[in-house]
Amino acid sequence: MFNRHRRLRNNEAIRSMVRETVLTPDDFIYPLFVVEGENIKKEITSLPNNYHYSIDRLHEVVKEIEESGVKGIILFGIPDHKDEVGSESYNDNGIIQKAIRKIRELSKDIYIITDVCMCEYTSHGHCGIIHDENVDNDETLDYLCRISLSHAKAGADMIAPSDMMDGRIAAIREALDKNGYVHIPIMSYSAKYCSAFYGPFREAANSTPQFGDRKTYQMDPGNIREAMLEIESDIMEGADIIMVKPALSYLDVIRWAKDKTHMPIAAYSVSGEYSMVKAAAKMGLIDEKKIALEMLLSMKRAGADMIITYYALDAAKWLK
Ligand code: PBG
């Protein structure tokens, strides 16, 4: 006697009834890059079919997002001016702050999440304030609070700190609350690994560190118990959503976070994951659409409630 598992695979009707995980456009968050200047919609070489937009052309992508059914975006800004303390990151007239106001004007519905970090804004390309070639944790916290407040003031719906400084969630939560932003949630890049998969993004965001690497603040790829320590700290400090990043090579971490906490889990399918598929598809080696959707499905199956992905708009179309 043996079990006939194939009975429930006989045709699409029964397969769809027993399907445990299904992707929908609601699952996706689309990363959007904004640059200074005018009349710019320029394809990002390292992230094919993703673009740098100047503020005056954001209406084009806002329309695409609305039509796709994707509800959320995460914003990245590339300033013209960089300095030691990343002062453009908390300038009320900085690139991100202007972009938030513009998108809000163009669409009431798009949910605007902002990446809070300094690496795109500092001349040295690190995610904080540098002393003796080391990122000073506690001094950086003050800057992260200023950046978060300037985003909230411009109209951001959610703040997503990606710097990996200790104590940042507590500091940002307190700053938001004190300034009347108790209703703004924080999505914490909690388990953010020091990963080679960020390569194409750093080209897109012009944020490669000018010396050293990010190993003193981002996590070692071999560690999963440490991810739980990071996540526990962020929950204690008041995070509303926990993120695991990258996604594809860290599905086990996503599953752990799902099983061991009651928090909503975000997965960031990062630039390297996207660019690998694009490159292989261009060479005719794989079926891009099927591979991309299968990868995204695996992240949701692993436990992700939402997925940040450069495929967001395409995947939403493919699912229709
Ligand atoms: C900023 C930040 C990075 C990414 C998101 N926010 C780069 C980094 O940490 O070096 C990477 C995203 C991607 O690769 O798609 N700190």
Side-chain angles (χ1 to χ4, degrees), residues 248-310:
L248 194 61
S249 293
Y250 298 82
L251 296 178
D252 54 336
V253 185
I254 297 174
R255 173 46 58 193
W256 256 56
K258 186 71 165 200
D259 287 346
K260 293 197 181 258
T261 75
H262 294 137
M263 300 291 286
I265 310 288
Y268 197 142
S269 181
V270 300
S271 55
E273 300 171 34
Y274 174 84
S275 302
M276 287 195 307
V277 178
K278 278 284 176 199
K282 197 171 170 197
M283 291 175 74
L285 300 175
I286 55 164
D287 180 328
E288 178 183 13
K289 177 179 156 181
K290 286 188 181 156
I291 292 266
L293 290 175
E294 189 174 331
M295 280 167 55
L296 294 168
L297 185 71
S298 74
M299 293 160 202
K300 190 166 179 189
R301 194 190 60 234
D305 297 293
M306 62 203 92
I307 305 167
I308 302 174
T309 169
Y310 301 95

Side-chain angles (χ1 to χ4, degrees), residues 76 115 117 119-120 127 162-163 189 192 197-199 201-202 207 214 218 245 268-272 310:
F76 296 96
D115 182 86
C117 194
C119 60
E120 294 118 79
C127 304
S162 68
D163 51 281
Y189 285 68
K192 177 172 177 181
F197 282 96
Y198 308 151
F201 173 94
R202 290 186 187 163
S207 64
R214 302 208 204 286
Q218 298 182 348
K245 174 184 173 195
Y268 197 142
S269 181
V270 300
S271 55
Y310 301 95

Side-chain angles (χ1 to χ4, degrees), residues 168 233 319:
R168 71 210 207 268
S233 295
L319 290 170

Side-chain angles (χ1 to χ4, degrees), residues 97-111:
Q97 292 78 1
K98 286 189 289 192
I100 297 168
R101 290 195 290 266
K102 182 71 183 185
I103 293 167
R104 185 48 77 233
E105 184 190 309
L106 291 165
S107 164
K108 281 193 300 290
D109 301 325
I110 290 182
Y111 194 86

